[in-house]
Amino acid sequence: MTTRTVGEALIDLLAVNDVEVVFGIPGVHTVELYRGLAASAIRHVTPRHEQGAGFMADGYARVSGKPGVALVITGPGLTNTITAMAQARQDSVPILVISGVNRRDSLGHGRGLLHELPDQQGMMKTLALYTHTLLNPADLPAVVERAFAVLLSGRPGPVHIEIPTDVMGKPIDLGTPKPAEATRPRADAERLQHAAILSTEAARPVILCGGGAVSAEDGIRRIAERIGAPVVTTVNARGMLAGHALRVPASPSLKSVRRLIAESDLVLAFGTELGPTDYDMYVDGGFPALKALIRVDIDAAQLARGQQATLPVLSSARSAAAGILGFLGDGKPRDGSARAAAARKAALAEQTPKTRAEIGIIDAIYAALPDGIIVGDSTQAVYAGNLYCDPPRPKSWFNAATGYGALGYGPPAAVGAAVAAPDAPVVCLVGDGGFQFSLAEIGSAADIGARVIFLVWNNDGYQEIENHMVENGIMPEGVRPSAPDFLKVAEAYGLPALRLDSVDRLGAALKEAAARKGPSLVEIHQTATKGATA
């Protein structure tokens, strides 16, 4: 047995569960949790705000495929992190938030202690997939194991552990720590065979893929080729089947993509919530009723939501795809490439000239940085890409403009992505309004030399909201917040910065920025930069 403090043992348990980095801001209420951190191999990254810690953990998790970890103080530290936890919950991203909480004998008494909440764990129960208050130090190994089991086994999301300040320094005989094991659901052979039979009999099948399908890309590609099915990818699945003739990297909220789906006689949906921010972003109720639906999801509750599936399959996408493939056999592949090509062409043609210009900028980013990752905030160019963009691989396009839709997500999430993929240039595509929600995270990027290019889409305010107001006959109000000179802000943090006079210069500017070791900033002004709009 090795005697450690709870704080030291916590770091040991994180390490054994393959945690390589923690995002957090230390405070008096968490210093004991930092006791073992400096001596460990775990890296610590300091954001400028606890919300940034949560978003960094989110971006890290999406790129690395491992849970992101945030370490925050009790009270305001945790409430600052709630927005990031909500985004992770909506987008099924695994993050572990470890917080302090006031000493055990104070909980529930409302004595006015510093950072006190009436019921911190009760608040977390409404949001986290699992939350636990560590009242007994000896319970720490079991609690951490359960937290990682939840993160790794079912539909991912935020998990929370809180440790009272009087427990953090208590001794614990840790023993030999062991990692948690993932136990994902697997469908039975009869159900998978039924899915294979329905797929083989369908004349015009279509496959829908959400973020939960990314790990099953190879199996889904082979199914699509075998049955001749175009593959429609939602925002969090973009990049699947990159360059493949069957890909349809366009929103199922578009009329052309809905037409493809409506004309199908079978839809196979893998790891997608089928939620409105992907399937009905215009809130017009126009997503078609499906003639037949095979729905694969890791969450039994999700299978019961929305349109009833002809065949619900409770399974991870990877396991289900492998099982269906086994029953499809080696028959002659069908050709669905003409339907996919027609859908791609129609989806692009459906866009306005302005949107096509914005999609062209996204294409230019990938052309200049083929190994790049674009992390977006809620801004017009990102909205355009969510309608249609064709990334070179999975996990190279994601943003917070779907799901919970939190402004300010992009900059800290891009830092997290850069920590997960230090050799890849990360482009944070952010608007002037959203950037100001988390502008100080430029400093976090500078501190660690993150290879992030902050690409600011400056339209002098909340242009998307202003347009919406005008379209609905509302006099615009509150949509023109002033912005700083972003180049001067970058200079203050020691970042090289450039304001483009023409979009034609974008590729060269990105290559120059990517060649540097640390972060950079490039600004496109919607009216001052030639080519920013059609």
Side-chain angles (χ1 to χ4, degrees), residues 25 47-55 71-73 76-78 80-81 84:
I25 300 176
R48 296 302 188 266
H49 190 282
E50 288 95 353
Q51 180 174 282
F55 284 147
L71 182 55
V72 299
I73 66 166
L78 185 58
N80 284 342
T81 314

Side-chain angles (χ1 to χ4, degrees), residues 78-398:
L78 185 58
T79 55
N80 284 342
T81 314
I82 284 178
T83 295
M85 294 178 73
Q87 186 73 50
R89 179 73 184 247
Q90 286 280 67
D91 282 355
S92 302
V93 178
I95 66 171
L96 170 61
V97 176
I98 302 169
S99 77
V101 70
N102 284 311
R103 64 179 189 261
R104 288 171 290 182
D105 64 2
S106 75
L107 299 180
H109 289 288
R111 293 172 178 153
L113 273 69
L114 180 65
H115 302 329
E116 185 178 61
L117 285 166
D119 184 359
Q120 184 168 287
Q121 194 199 57
M123 178 181 68
M124 284 293 98
K125 284 180 179 178
T126 67
L127 178 59
L129 299 176
Y130 166 68
T131 180
H132 184 89
T133 305
L134 186 73
L135 300 176
N136 183 353
D139 291 338
L140 179 65
V143 170
V144 172
E145 183 177 7
R146 183 175 178 186
F148 277 95
V150 171
L151 286 165
L152 299 172
S153 297
R155 183 181 181 186
V159 165
H160 171 244
I161 299 172
E162 62 181 16
I163 305 178
T165 53
D166 64 321
V167 173
M168 295 176 185
K170 296 288 185 183
I172 174 175
D173 292 328
L174 184 58
T176 303
K178 62 176 183 177
E181 294 185 8
T183 53
R184 296 183 175 90
R186 299 171 63 93
D188 61 85
E190 182 178 357
R191 189 165 292 263
L192 295 174
Q193 184 179 33
H194 188 190
I197 291 170
L198 292 175
S199 300
T200 303
E201 292 176 346
R204 298 175 65 83
V206 167
I207 294 175
L208 305 178
C209 288
V214 171
S215 64
E217 180 183 19
D218 182 65
I220 291 172
R221 174 186 54 77
R222 292 168 63 192
I223 291 172
E225 291 171 344
R226 173 70 177 80
I227 66 175
V231 179
V232 177
T233 49
T234 66
V235 171
N236 288 329
R238 290 290 167 80
M240 288 183 66
L241 276 73
H244 198 285
L246 288 172
R247 77 194 187 288
V248 182
S251 171
S253 291
L254 294 172
K255 293 178 182 178
S256 50
V257 180
R258 287 176 167 182
R259 186 162 54 248
L260 170 73
I261 295 168
E263 292 173 352
S264 70
D265 55 356
L266 176 69
V267 169
L268 291 85
F270 287 91
T272 177
E273 190 180 30
L274 295 173
T277 56
D278 274 309
Y279 292 85
D280 193 18
M281 67 171 61
Y282 299 115
V283 198
D284 59 11
F287 188 76
L290 306 179
K291 299 179 179 69
L293 171 63
I294 299 172
R295 187 175 185 186
V296 177
D297 204 282
I298 203 168
D299 183 359
Q302 194 59 42
L303 286 172
R305 298 185 182 113
Q307 180 172 332
Q308 185 174 3
T310 308
L311 182 65
V313 180
L314 179 62
S315 173
S316 69
R318 180 184 291 181
S319 175
I324 292 170
L325 267 174
F327 287 111
L328 284 177
D330 299 320
K332 183 179 179 181
R334 298 188 211 160
D335 188 7
S337 59
R339 286 192 296 141
R344 289 196 301 272
K345 182 179 179 180
L348 266 179
E350 191 176 328
Q351 306 309 313
T352 65
K354 176 181 179 295
T355 301
R356 283 199 296 271
E358 292 161 353
I359 293 169
I361 287 172
I362 294 167
D363 291 342
I365 296 171
Y366 285 124
L369 306 174
D371 59 339
I373 299 168
I374 301 179
V375 181
D377 207 83
S378 293
T379 191
Q380 287 188 317
V382 170
Y383 301 145
N386 285 349
L387 289 172
Y388 190 104
C389 74
D390 202 0
R393 66 196 169 281
K395 301 181 181 181
S396 61
W397 172 269
F398 59 89

